[in-house]
Amino acid sequence: MAYLLMFVTLLHLITLAVLFIATMEKSWWVWDGGDSSDLWYNCRFDNDTEAWFCASSRDNEWLQAVQVLMVLSVVFSSVSFLIFLGQLFTMSKGGLFYITGLCQVFSGLTACSATLIYTLHNKEILQDARELSSGHFGYCFILAWVCVPLLLCSGIVYIHLRKKE
């Protein structure tokens, strides 16, 4: 039981860290020249000065939806961890971690929705940027997709996890 508890806690913390990195870092779309775009900024690297020049992303309904859903996903996962810690010390023997699991599942569903919207509507989100055919999805986008099954699986594990002691 102790190993399962440590595994679930470690999985939750790793998933939360990766989800936070995916939300805040600047690599959701990368062009061949090294320029990148994320949920918040479009950045270009100037070879002459060897500096990044970043401008705020243009407001777009799809981009705002992705931003809100990713932030909600981080919030749900953070709240889920705090609830888990509270339940761990206050719940009676034999209790189930339903609230923790549901918050974690909601976090997975919001991350899934955000990445799906970005996948399907990246042309509208990046409409004023460079040619899309010379670019590809960046590592933050991939990290967001990796978080989806991890969040859903950890949510299901939390729902089935029973407090013993």
Side-chain angles (χ1 to χ4, degrees), residues 111-122:
C112 181
S113 300
T115 50
L116 191 61
I117 289 170
Y118 196 87
T119 303
L120 297 175
H121 296 285
N122 63 350

Side-chain angles (χ1 to χ4, degrees), residues 59-94:
D59 282 340
N60 173 318
E61 291 85 13
W62 293 116
L63 179 61
Q64 288 176 348
V66 174
Q67 289 171 340
V68 167
L69 288 169
M70 286 304 291
V71 169
L72 270 176
S73 183
V74 171
V75 168
F76 274 132
S77 188
S78 301
V79 168
S80 174
F81 187 70
L82 294 175
I83 291 172
F84 170 68
L85 290 178
Q87 286 181 325
L88 192 61
F89 295 111
T90 61
M91 190 168 37
S92 62
K93 180 181 177 181

Side-chain angles (χ1 to χ4, degrees), residues 97-119:
F97 296 92
Y98 283 130
I99 298 171
T100 303
L102 288 175
C103 284
Q104 196 72 343
V105 168
F106 285 146
S107 177
L109 292 175
T110 55
C112 181
S113 300
T115 50
L116 191 61
I117 289 170
Y118 196 87
T119 303

